Amino acid sequence: MEQRLRVVAVVNPAAGGDGDRVVAALEAVGAADVEVVRTTAPGDATDIAHKLASGDRPPDVVVSVGGDGTACQVATGLFHAGEAGLPAPPLLIAPGGTGNSAYRGLWDDQPWEQVAATALTGGAATRRLDLARIAHNGDLVLLGSGSGLFAATLLAIRGRAERGRELLMAAAVAAMDGYAPYPGRVTVDGEVVHEGGVVETIIGGFRHRGGLLDLVPGSVLDDGKLDITVVTAEVEMRVFSQAAVGGDVHAVPGVRAARGDRIRVERLDGQPLLFEHDGEVMPEDAPACDVEVVPAALAVLASPRSLPWFGRG
């Protein structure tokens, strides 16, 4: 008799999506024994994933059911298990949050029911993603990170009535109202890419934010490099916004782009830098942030189709 897969779904009940629907689709496949573990506090998902990978009988697949922040926490737990020499299982990211940008990057927004069936019946590709690490606190980054307007958008979400990707778009419009660029400098592998007014920086990783906005075009998830888009104070934001949903933001006048192993973003006025990663705003406790790539750090289940943001077959 063929042995059934053991699948553990790490569910964040506080996420913005429908976790019950996600789990029901896993169970409906019928090809695996699905266990559900629910988080009860911030940071739980990292500890849960690490314990799963470190146990006597690790699962065959760990599923993150929550937003991009939850996926990052689960990825962090699995990464540290692998770093310790343990055979960490691959991560399957489900669309259980608000923007679900990492899900889009791995499955190109295929319906979750189809993805669940593909992943649990052996049809998925196993790929190794690059991660990033924030130097001053050791935080790992899965989706991406950045400073300025997008981080302000995450603050503007609080208390709004919209849901899903529409919530992020509405919050972005609200954040732009009265937003002022900050005096900054962006350095990639020791070379200054921009010095002057900065609206925002977007570091990837994954190309999309909010599930819809293509902000780091050309970024490849497994090339061992980090990409950055710098939106300078010279940019006409209406033009940039239009390009983000249907064009090439790198073609917008005033946008700078670069690729490298280590990226430094800093404010030049000594004020704390507003910075986020994986949809979570970090404490404003420093004027600068350094981000470095961690190549081939995490095994994930992804679409078997050839997607343009994967460089290795």
Side-chain angles (χ1 to χ4, degrees):
M1 180 182 297
E2 185 176 345
Q3 187 174 0
R4 290 168 61 84
L5 286 178
R6 180 180 177 230
V7 175
V8 178
V10 181
V11 179
N12 179 2
D18 187 348
D20 291 339
R21 180 187 72 84
V22 168
V23 172
L26 289 170
E27 295 172 335
V29 176
D33 296 319
V34 180
E35 176 186 346
V36 175
V37 181
R38 300 184 188 277
T39 64
T40 59
D44 263 8
T46 296
D47 293 336
I48 291 169
H50 190 272
K51 288 176 181 176
L52 288 171
S54 306
D56 293 335
R57 186 182 167 229
D60 299 295
V61 178
V62 173
V63 186
S64 172
V65 184
D68 292 316
T70 304
C72 178
Q73 290 180 28
V74 175
T76 297
L78 296 177
F79 170 80
H80 286 311
E83 196 176 36
L86 299 168
L91 172 62
L92 173 60
I93 296 176
T98 302
N100 300 314
S101 298
Y103 177 77
R104 177 173 183 174
L106 297 179
W107 294 96
D108 204 19
D109 269 346
Q110 293 179 54
W112 168 243
E113 289 74 14
Q114 293 179 18
V115 168
T118 299
L120 300 191
T121 56
T126 301
R127 301 184 183 273
R128 292 206 70 86
L129 290 187
D130 301 330
L131 297 177
R133 180 183 284 112
I134 294 175
H136 74 268
N137 61 11
D139 280 2
L140 289 173
V141 180
L142 172 66
L143 172 67
S145 58
S147 67
L149 181 58
F150 192 76
T153 296
L154 297 174
L155 295 177
I157 283 174
R158 298 170 183 174
R160 298 193 66 92
E162 297 91 348
R163 291 183 61 83
R165 291 174 176 174
E166 292 76 15
L167 169 60
L168 288 167
M169 296 305 103
V173 172
M176 278 191 279
D177 185 23
Y179 180 83
Y182 67 87
R185 180 165 53 225
V186 176
T187 307
V188 178
D189 292 344
E191 180 177 342
V192 175
V193 173
H194 173 71
E195 184 169 331
V198 177
V199 174
E200 66 179 331
T201 63
I202 311 102
I203 301 171
F206 288 81
R207 296 184 179 186
H208 291 86
R209 298 295 187 275
L212 297 171
L213 303 178
D214 187 357
L215 299 181
V216 202
S219 179
V220 175
L221 296 172
D222 57 357
D223 65 349
K225 298 292 182 181
L226 293 175
D227 286 64
I228 184 169
T229 298
V230 184
V231 183
T232 74
E234 305 163 27
V235 171
E236 170 55 55
M237 289 306 296
R238 178 185 58 82
V239 176
F240 181 82
S241 299
Q242 291 172 348
V245 294
D248 180 3
V249 297
H250 288 172
V252 175
V255 170
R256 310 282 188 269
R259 176 179 293 128
D261 298 322
R262 187 180 179 98
I263 295 172
R264 179 175 177 84
V265 179
E266 55 189 318
R267 286 188 69 125
L268 299 180
D269 58 1
Q271 296 297 310
L273 182 69
L274 182 61
F275 202 85
E276 61 80 28
H277 76 84
D278 297 281
E280 303 290 337
V281 179
M282 295 172 55
E284 295 180 62
D285 54 8
C289 192
D290 291 89
V291 185
E292 57 192 10
V293 71
V294 186
L298 179 73
V300 295
L301 296 183
S303 172
R305 304 200 327 253
S306 179
L307 299 177
W309 39 81
F310 280 104
R312 298 170 183 161

